[in-house]
Amino acid sequence: MSNAKPVATPMVSVPTLSSLTGTKLSDGTLSVNICILHSSHNEHWCAVKRILRYVKSTTDFGLKFQPSAITLTSLSDTDWASSLKDKKSTSCYCVYLGANLVGWSSKEWTVVSHSTTKAEY
């Protein structure tokens, strides 16, 4: 991938990856995380290659810490039933100290939420 053409975004917004579509790969060790959970498909491998092309375009990126007011801000969001396979939700949060990002997390729930209210709570 060292000669691959860089891209500006890590993934396309649609279609969502699923273990239910595409052609199954013979070598399931080719992809990682959301791109591969238990069942590798050609679409997952294409997504991994796109992520690597994005990483290639961001090698000079970094976190910029700038002087700002000492305020702690936290933002969170939940995507209800976003997994096509098992309808589990995904939650994420970001924590800022002033204008500087100091922490973040994103994870898929281990249980299925039956309403948007329950997912957001």
Side-chain angles (χ1 to χ4, degrees):
M1 297 296 300
S2 60
N3 294 326
K5 181 180 174 186
V7 294
T9 58
M11 294 196 62
V12 294
S13 58
V14 288
T16 303
L17 293 175
S18 168
S19 63
L20 306 175
T21 61
T23 306
K24 191 160 174 90
L25 295 174
S26 59
D27 182 4
T29 62
L30 292 175
S31 13
V32 294
N33 199 357
I34 192 168
C35 295
I36 196 82
L37 297 174
H38 302 290
S39 181
S40 304
H41 290 80
N42 59 331
E43 292 153 349
H44 297 103
W45 182 237
C46 290
V48 168
K49 290 194 292 185
R50 182 176 178 99
I51 293 167
L52 292 173
R53 290 174 57 204
Y54 172 73
V55 169
K56 182 176 182 179
S57 73
T58 62
T59 56
D60 59 343
F61 282 18
L63 290 177
K64 180 180 176 185
F65 290 95
Q66 55 193 8
S68 60
I70 304 294
T71 57
L72 190 62
T73 307
S74 177
L75 306 170
S76 66
D77 194 15
T78 300
D79 188 2
W80 177 61
S82 58
S83 173
L84 297 177
K85 181 179 179 184
D86 54 17
K87 299 298 182 192
K88 291 181 182 174
S89 301
T90 303
S91 295
C92 63
Y93 69 84
C94 297
V95 180
Y96 291 86
L97 183 58
N100 304 298
L101 179 66
V102 294
W104 67 274
S105 176
S106 177
K107 72 174 196 170
E108 184 179 77
W109 290 24
T110 57
V111 295
V112 175
S113 177
H114 296 287
S115 70
T116 56
T117 303
K118 195 182 269 188
E120 291 289 337
Y121 180 70

